[in-house]
């Protein structure tokens, strides 16, 4: 007999939660211009962490950050990534502004503190329910490892590198 009230209480809580979510969606809509709330962001981060294979985090970048690799990655980033992530990695690219969730600022600790293998996995496999596509099969894996090197370099990106990237892009 004690189960009855507990079941009713659980059902009432679930109905209330569903009604709150429905009211929020009806009030705010499903606009891509919205900013995720703290709860939504926390849940998304937790689910993201669960979705990554354990071996992805432990993978080490086989490439050293040489000037040649950084240049290759800078050009690749300008051609394939800057449209969403912007040339400086801020996430304020032309398409990035209209995505939900917004692309992350690759210069910030939330990205910089991720292991190399996790960044590589994201580049290769994309992120479901976001605008981040999978780039697996679009070139050699070394290109993705070079991009990891470049992402690590973004916080120290110089103005000359940004200008160089733009002028190289125009020549292509």
């Amino acid at each position: 007999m004690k189960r009855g009230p507990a079941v009713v209480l659980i059902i009432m809580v679930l109905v209330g939660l569903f009604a709150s979510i429905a009211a929020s969606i009806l009030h705010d809509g499903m606009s891509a211009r919205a900013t995720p709330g703290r709860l939504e962001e926390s849940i998304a981060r937790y689910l993201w962490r669960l979705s990554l294979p354990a071996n992805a985090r432990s993978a080490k970048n086989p490439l050293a950050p040489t000037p040649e690799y950084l240049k290759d990655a800078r050009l690749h980033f300008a051609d394939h990534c800057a449209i969403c992530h912007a040339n400086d990695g801020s996430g304020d690219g032309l398409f990035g502004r209209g995505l939900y969730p917004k692309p992350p600022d690759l210069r910030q600790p939330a990205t910089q503190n991720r292991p190399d293998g996790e960044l590589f996995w994201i580049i290769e496999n994309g992120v479901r329910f976001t605008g981040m596509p999978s780039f697996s099969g679009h070139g050699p894996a070394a290109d993705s490892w070079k991009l990891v090197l470049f992402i690590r370099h973004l916080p120290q990106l110089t103005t000359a590198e940004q200008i160089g990237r733009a002028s190289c892009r125009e020549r292509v």
Side-chain angles (χ1 to χ4, degrees):
M1 296 234 336
K2 292 184 179 183
R3 281 189 184 173
V7 170
V8 170
L9 181 63
I10 290 171
I11 290 173
M12 288 175 50
V13 167
L14 290 175
V15 167
L17 183 62
F18 179 75
S20 297
I21 292 169
S24 174
I25 290 171
L26 290 173
H27 180 265
D28 298 330
M30 298 289 284
S31 171
R33 291 182 282 178
T35 302
R38 285 180 133 168
L39 179 62
E40 181 181 353
E41 197 171 301
S42 296
I43 291 170
R45 286 185 197 280
Y46 177 74
L47 292 174
W48 164 250
R49 210 143 169 75
L50 288 177
S51 73
L52 278 176
N55 63 345
R57 286 187 196 93
S58 62
K60 303 291 182 210
N61 194 334
L63 305 176
T66 65
E68 180 183 338
Y69 285 162
L70 286 173
K71 179 184 176 196
D72 290 348
R74 190 172 67 237
L75 296 174
H76 186 99
F77 189 91
D79 287 341
H80 301 286
C81 310
I83 193 75
C84 293
H85 291 284
N87 283 331
D88 62 359
S90 66
D92 194 34
L94 178 64
F95 290 170
R97 288 182 214 127
L99 289 175
Y100 184 87
K102 304 284 185 235
D105 185 335
L106 301 176
R107 305 165 300 178
Q108 297 302 312
T111 299
Q112 293 296 317
N113 292 338
R114 291 181 187 265
D116 285 354
E118 192 172 322
L119 295 176
F120 176 82
W121 194 90
I122 291 168
I123 294 165
E124 286 287 303
N125 298 286
V127 179
R128 195 179 283 201
F129 305 120
T130 72
M132 180 65 189
S134 165
F135 285 99
S136 179
H138 291 273
D143 287 349
S144 294
W145 282 118
K146 289 176 187 178
L147 283 172
V148 171
L149 294 173
F150 183 68
I151 290 167
R152 297 280 183 235
H153 180 70
L154 280 169
Q156 296 85 34
L157 197 66
T158 66
T159 305
E161 287 173 315
Q162 288 184 29
I163 293 169
R165 183 171 52 236
S167 62
C168 288
R169 192 167 182 215
E170 290 168 5
R171 282 186 260 141
V172 174

